[in-house]
Amino acid sequence: MTTTERPETLKTGPATSVEQPQAAEIEREFTVKARSQREQIMRRFLRNKQAMGGLLVFAVVLLVAWAGPLFYGFEFAQVKPADASVGPGTNGHILGTDGLGRDLMANIMRGVQRSTLTIVVAVAISLFLGLLVGLLAGYYGKWIDNVLMRLVDLILTIPLLVLLIVVASNFPDARTAIGIAVIIGLFGWLDLARILRSQILGLREREFIEAAHALGASDRRIMFKHLIPNMLGSIIVWATLTAATVILLEASLTYLGFGVASDTSLGRLVADGVNAAQTRPWLFYFPGLMLLVIALCINVIGDGIRDAFDPSNKRVRA
Amino acid sequence: MFFYTIRRLLSSILVLIVSSLIVFGLCVASFNPLEPFFLRQPQPPPEVFAALREQYRLDDPFFVRYWDWLTGVLTLDFGESNAGTPVGPVLIERLGVTARMVVAAMVLAILLAIVVGVLTAVRQYKPEDYFFTFLTYVLIALPTFWFAALLKEFVAIQFNELVGQRILFTLGEQSPAIEITGSSSEIFWDRAGHLVLPTISLAMLSFAAWSRFQRASMLDVLGSDYMRLARAKGLPWRHALVRHGLRNALIPLTTVVALGVGLIMGGAVITETVFVWHGMGEYLIASINADDLNPVLGWLMIAAFFVIAFNLIADLLYAVLDPRIRLS
Amino acid sequence: MSTMTKPAPEMDKPSSGAILEVENLEVQFPTEDGLVRAVRGVSYALRPGEVLGIVGESGSGKSVTSLAIMGLLPASARVTGSVKFRGRELLKLGDKEFSHIRGKGIAMIFQDPMTSLDPVYKVGYQIVETVRQHDKNVSAKAAKSRAVDLLELVGIPNAKERVTSYPHEFSGGMRQRVVIAIAMANQPDVIIADEPTTALDVTVQAQILEVLDIAMQETGAATVLITHDLGVVAGVADRMLVMYAGRAVEFGAVDEVYYEPRMPYTLGLLGSLPRLDQAEKQKLTPIKGSPPSMVNPPPGCPFGPRCPLHIPRCDEAEPPLTEVSAGHWAACIRNEKLEGHADATEFFEADATDLTDPVVADALPGSDAGGVVTAGDRP
């Protein structure tokens, strides 16, 4: 910073034209703000050690699950009676085998694959439905809002797990990872709809929505260009936390006998292993720990994202 | 306050009725009492089916069936199962069994959540905070049945060996025939011994979620202006914490707990299965598997009733605790 | 490096009369971005019954100073220096002993009346609470009657009925009166009012200042009035302290500081006030720029970058408070330049837009004033 002797009156910078086209202004101001905000959020997330740790572990797990079978000696469905129920480390079975001689490691890898697919499908379906209902209820308000939210409340009077069981019992053919994902997805949007609806009710009153209206923007444009980007934080946080719930729901459903049957999944492995806790502990612990680790990672990542979007409770209060 | 209560009560009743309609529709669509007969080899002749349809009134219009069922329920007559046994008495009895677990779990979860939530908020960033935060993370990520199985297979045995006596039980809600052979205090302690592990498994998930919520709520309150004023008035720290901090921080918890009732009921089904309790959960699963309409209907209605009742209580409690709601 | 450890200037010798003596108070907060030095050596002595106005913009440290005096800063804050109430050192006190003084010896009024009162307790209870906390022998009945009296004093109509009302049943102005009633309840010797009118409408502000006046008369308390509103200080205070970047930069009797400011910042503040008493219309003279970051303050006068009288020597060391006339102190090495000049337009330029401000510059198309924010898609 130059410290030349300044005269007693403060001079301004080089003269510039002060003309400012208004509409383009608003647009650019938003993109500028949004970008630096996004950068800020990324930075905060990257600095969160737990979240980064979770992300790392999760990435490793996914990598091993999807790439591992290419290198591993055993197939998940391969039945080997000669090697039935052996412990970890025997005959090349890293994690042991089950009662039919199927390798546990191969099954876990396959299970993680199927379970991640389940998560993606279920979250996608729920996201779509939740956005639809939330946007309609929050944006159009009044009686649509009333009806939709009452509907959500009514569905919520039934315990979710039981609801899923009843619905799943109707479709015995859908007992695959994808099928269960669809069923879970069909009911996983209730929270999201509520969250988005109340957020929209708040955003609706803000001036920039009024301004967009005044400029003649269509409802759809407002929803997609203005509302949704502002709710991105809530949506992402919801998605990660729901992902963890989905995987646990699938496991519970399978344990009770209504979940994945014709395929393997992490939930299936855990459910099957429960009975072997005493006799063949590896069948109990490894799948369970794997499920725990994945759900843990997803939760930690979700919390990290939430803190990145809204760090207000982390700073020292001055 | 009075009118608020009346309004909420009427609203709840309405919700319950509409909910019953939805539940009825869902179940009728899902469960066909004739299903088991289709699978028989050889299939029974059409006359049998016709007779069965007559018996189960399957050809009546939907709303007639609904009305019949609803009027029955209002007089606590839940109809009969496919096998002909009255559903009502069975439900009530099993409700008593499950209720023990659910109530105990809720109480445990609430108490622990408050203690841990307040503790971690007051001692933010200290070791206790980190420890409990880690613990709650793990508990939230844990599948309930896996955790229950863990408790069942290992903790129970180790504990019993440690104490030298069989205190913790893992199978059923009471020892067989204890009601016949034991005194009332023996029955009580026997049931208690069976209750411990299932209660812990069921409570842990809710405890973890609620304690994190309570921590956030407490932190909010601790940083508030009125806490500062309370201390500026000369109230010592502890005093201000309890009188002003806790009092405000507990209010949101009522809503959260009410919302969590459904989760606990679902969890109870799982826990009962793991510990082989002869409660509502077992009844439900068995009935679903048997395409038994009335028991499932009965179960769902009772569940809905409790969920709605809890929500009502939570709303009223909220109004009692927060004067701002009361007078609006 | 700014001088941190020099002894306090002899602005106010700790006379026997001073009821509150603050000496070289420093407050630091550890944050993720570094150590924030919110208060860097503030000293003053408050005489019984006088009103001291502390003026400064947001971030100058004025609120933190009073919170430090009351011992209400978060545990992570590092407070050094000395605060003596009636000769007794406060900063060493544990919470229990400090609690005896808070609300009775020194009372505090906060800024936002909407959030200062606990929403779940009745207003009367909140007054009774402080009364009975400091005098265990008072009966509930007597305390309640005292609460009613106090509410009447501060101008709440129907005090007898309103004493059982909840805070949300009052407007902002009324709530602030309740807060003042609470502060008055135990006849404190010192009242610290931290921006008591900032959150209120202008018309209500005047009312609250009146109530504050009543409180001062009733209790005979000395008052520290913290505000960023110079108009408020002019009407109420005896002496004033101007804070900038965590320390006092001007101090003296109100009249003197107003008519003979000797620190360019004070002059700038005065110049940015709209004046009704001037015949001809004049442009306002804002002070360009913003206050410095308190994490790593550069050496030299912190006001330097914004000061119209800035010379290279200003950047060498932070100017100490020097006595420019009896009881009037200013922290500026060029303060004599201001002697006799009380018109801000002589020094500050009346300019609406500061094109060197990166936020403003960036919004303008084609400007090459060097904005900080990267806007990648400019044409």
Side-chain angles (χ1 to χ4, degrees), chain B residues 4-327:
Chain B
Y4 179 77
T5 310
I6 298 293
R7 275 207 316 267
R8 292 296 295 113
L9 192 61
L10 289 177
S11 168
S12 299
I13 295 176
L14 187 63
V15 171
L16 192 57
I17 293 178
V18 179
S19 180
S20 73
L21 182 61
I22 292 185
V23 163
F24 191 77
L26 177 68
C27 289
V28 162
S30 306
F31 303 115
N32 187 352
L34 302 181
E35 201 54 47
F37 295 95
F38 285 126
L39 303 170
R40 281 215 202 141
Q41 294 286 354
Q43 258 197 15
E47 303 87 60
V48 177
F49 280 114
L52 284 171
R53 293 190 83 89
E54 188 66 43
Q55 182 190 349
Y56 291 128
R57 323 247 313 255
L58 293 182
D59 291 321
D60 286 356
F62 176 78
F63 277 102
V64 172
R65 293 176 70 186
Y66 172 63
W67 185 251
D68 276 339
W69 171 77
L70 186 65
T71 43
V73 167
L74 289 175
T75 56
L76 286 183
D77 173 14
F78 289 93
E80 295 174 357
S81 72
N82 286 349
T85 43
V87 171
V90 178
L91 265 181
I92 302 295
E93 189 192 326
R94 286 173 176 262
L95 178 61
V97 170
T98 303
R100 291 202 293 259
M101 188 202 299
V102 169
V103 169
M106 278 192 74
V107 168
L108 182 65
I110 293 176
L111 286 177
L112 282 181
I114 294 177
V115 167
V116 172
V118 170
L119 178 70
T120 50
V122 169
R123 319 272 300 156
Q124 195 187 20
Y125 302 136
K126 303 263 173 50
E128 302 97 295
D129 186 18
Y130 289 123
F131 169 71
F132 279 112
T133 303
F134 175 70
L135 184 67
T136 51
Y137 265 123
V138 170
L139 286 175
I140 288 181
L142 219 45
T144 310
F145 65 91
W146 191 79
F147 182 56
L150 195 66
L151 286 181
K152 180 177 160 185
E153 302 293 341
F154 296 100
V155 172
I157 298 177
Q158 309 294 356
F159 183 82
N160 287 336
E161 275 179 16
L162 198 67
V163 180
Q165 199 191 350
R166 197 137 184 260
I167 298 201
L168 294 179
F169 296 88
T170 58
L171 277 181
E173 69 275 11
Q174 59 195 31
S175 301
I178 189 102
E179 273 174 348
I180 309 173
T181 60
S183 66
S184 50
S185 94
E186 278 175 351
I187 296 178
F188 178 78
W189 287 111
D190 179 69
R191 285 184 178 170
H194 281 91
L195 190 58
V196 173
L197 292 179
T199 302
I200 295 179
S201 339
L202 186 56
M204 284 303 104
L205 179 59
S206 298
F207 149 66
W210 294 345
S211 80
R212 286 172 79 190
F213 179 83
Q214 185 60 16
R215 175 181 185 272
S217 173
M218 194 74 207
L219 280 175
D220 268 346
V221 166
L222 286 178
S224 68
D225 281 349
Y226 55 81
M227 271 298 283
R228 216 169 38 166
L229 188 71
R231 298 195 57 212
K233 285 196 310 203
L235 297 182
W237 172 236
R238 280 261 173 78
H239 203 114
L241 179 69
V242 173
R243 283 261 194 92
H244 294 275
L246 208 55
R247 176 75 174 72
N248 274 282
L250 287 180
I251 297 177
L253 193 64
T254 50
T255 315
V256 169
V257 167
L259 289 175
V261 171
L263 192 66
I264 289 195
M265 285 198 211
V269 173
I270 294 179
T271 313
E272 276 188 21
T273 309
V274 174
F275 288 98
V276 195
W277 273 39
H278 304 301
M280 301 248 302
E282 189 187 54
Y283 194 44
L284 176 73
I285 302 290
S287 304
I288 292 181
N289 278 322
D291 265 289
D292 213 333
L293 184 61
N294 281 324
V296 179
L297 271 175
W299 195 101
L300 286 173
M301 273 323 290
I302 291 192
F305 174 77
F306 278 109
V307 169
I308 293 173
F310 265 94
N311 272 305
L312 178 63
I313 294 175
D315 276 348
L316 295 178
L317 199 57
Y318 203 106
V320 165
L321 293 176
D322 190 343
R324 289 170 291 188
I325 304 294
R326 233 184 281 168
L327 300 168

Side-chain angles (χ1 to χ4, degrees), chain A residues 121-131 184-189 192 238:
Chain A
V121 169
V123 170
I125 295 178
S126 292
L127 182 61
F128 174 71
L129 290 172
L131 267 175
I184 296 180
L186 286 176
F187 292 97
W189 52 271
L192 183 63
W238 167 88

